[in-house]
Each structure stands twice: as C-alpha cells, then as structure tokens.
Amino acid sequence: MSKSAYETKRDFSRTPEPRGGRKRAGKAPRFVIQKHDASTLHYDFRLEVGSVLKSWAVPRGPSTDPADKRLAVPTEDHPLDYADFEGVIPEGQYGGGTVLVWDCGPYENITEKHGRIVPLAKALADGHALVRLKGEKLTGGYALQRTGKKENGRWLLVKLDDAAADRRRNPVSTQPDSVLSGRSLQDIAAGEAKG
Ligand code: MN
C-alpha cells in the first residue's frame, strides 16, 4: 500500500504525531478542531469521513455568527488517531509547532438533496456539505462551501442560522484552551499540565 500524503510529509522518528491506522467502525463520526501555533496560528477543522479525517486549515477559527464567512484551506487527510493529538511538533517537521484540541465531539451529516441525506464523502466531492456539531464550544449546524475551481478551490466555513447561532459569542478568544486537558498552547509548549 502506498504512503499517504500525511505519512510522506512526516518522519515518525522525530515527531510525536500518531502514525495512524486505527479504525473506529460502528461509532458516531467525530469532528475535531485543533488549534495549531505553527508559522501562523490557525485552527485545523477535521471531520471523520470513512477511515480518515478530512481536514481544512481555518486561519481565523470558526465563528458562531452566521454572518462570518471563515476561509478554510483544504489540507491533507489525517489518520483518525490524530483526533486526540496534543503536543509539540518539532521544527522542520511538516506543520511544526504546538497543537491543542480546541473542540471535539460527534457530528451528524445533515446535507440533503431532494429531501434525502447525501453521503458526506459525496457532499464534499461536490463542494457543499452541512454538518451538525455536538462539541463543547461549538454546537449546531455549519456549512462547508467550496468556492472557485475544484482543483485549487478555497472553502468557506459558515455557521448556519439555527438555535445555536450567536452573534455575540466569540469562543476563539473567550475559550482559548484545550477541551481535553484544560491546557493552553503555552502550557503544552512548556510541557506542563494545568492544575
Ligand atoms: Mn495545522
């Protein structure tokens, strides 16, 4: 079996990131948003689809305001094991820098066409997907919409205008730390556990 883009970009003798390979058959699919202090701070938005995490880098992070259209740049599929990774990726490794799990939880595919659910892999291939998140910080519907040409298209991540929409919340700034460990990026970079 040939190496994935994820594997090709990493030296697993040097990075603490997981190699992957684990399957999670039979469980509700999960989403994870990892805050990543690389050369520039961004939020990696990942959805479990089949045996991989489909991934986008969101420079400004997700919003709870339906009026905000957040740029989401596709990145390579990550292994399912990546969903609970927090740590420090060495300099020189792809995407080096400090990572924390900013939010995670199950999600539901709510993409419909003619009254029927469209499988998420197909929805993403078509460039339009709707998901309902059940995280700690983010809940309710989000749209992922590709703009421009398929090959080098950018995507937008936009909150749906539902009961969980909130124009006044700003969780990216008010809830900055890990939902798994309570640690900040600085705590993780310093190798300290909080509390
Ligand atoms: Mn990243």
Side-chain angles (χ1 to χ4, degrees), residues 121-142:
K122 167 148 178 48
L124 292 173
D126 291 344
H128 175 73
L130 304 180
V131 291
R132 185 182 294 134
L133 307 181
K134 296 167 190 165
E136 285 190 29
K137 297 172 182 173
L138 300 185
T139 57
Y142 278 81

Side-chain angles (χ1 to χ4, degrees), residues 167-190:
R167 286 160 182 80
R168 298 174 66 186
R169 270 185 79 205
N170 187 2
V172 163
S173 61
T174 61
Q175 297 170 273
D177 298 335
S178 167
V179 293
L180 293 187
S181 65
R183 294 183 297 173
S184 68
L185 283 172
Q186 290 79 4
D187 294 332
I188 291 170

Side-chain angles (χ1 to χ4, degrees), residues 19 21 29 33 37 52 57 81 101 147 171 188-189 193:
R19 268 177 186 275
I33 300 171
D37 186 14
V52 297
D81 284 346
V101 175
T147 65
I188 291 170

Side-chain angles (χ1 to χ4, degrees), residues 55-121:
S55 298
W56 296 258
V58 183
R60 297 186 62 198
S63 175
T64 56
D65 182 349
D68 287 339
K69 293 177 167 57
R70 294 289 162 89
L71 175 67
V73 180
T75 57
E76 77 270 21
D77 294 348
H78 277 53
L80 298 184
D81 284 346
Y82 209 89
D84 47 19
F85 173 73
E86 295 189 334
V88 179
I89 305 167
E91 288 298 319
Q93 287 297 295
Y94 180 79
T98 308
V99 175
L100 66 70
V101 175
W102 185 79
D103 200 12
C104 63
Y107 79 86
E108 182 184 354
N109 172 26
I110 55 170
T111 316
E112 285 190 15
K113 195 169 189 180
H114 309 307
R116 290 189 180 175
I117 293 292
V118 179
L120 195 57

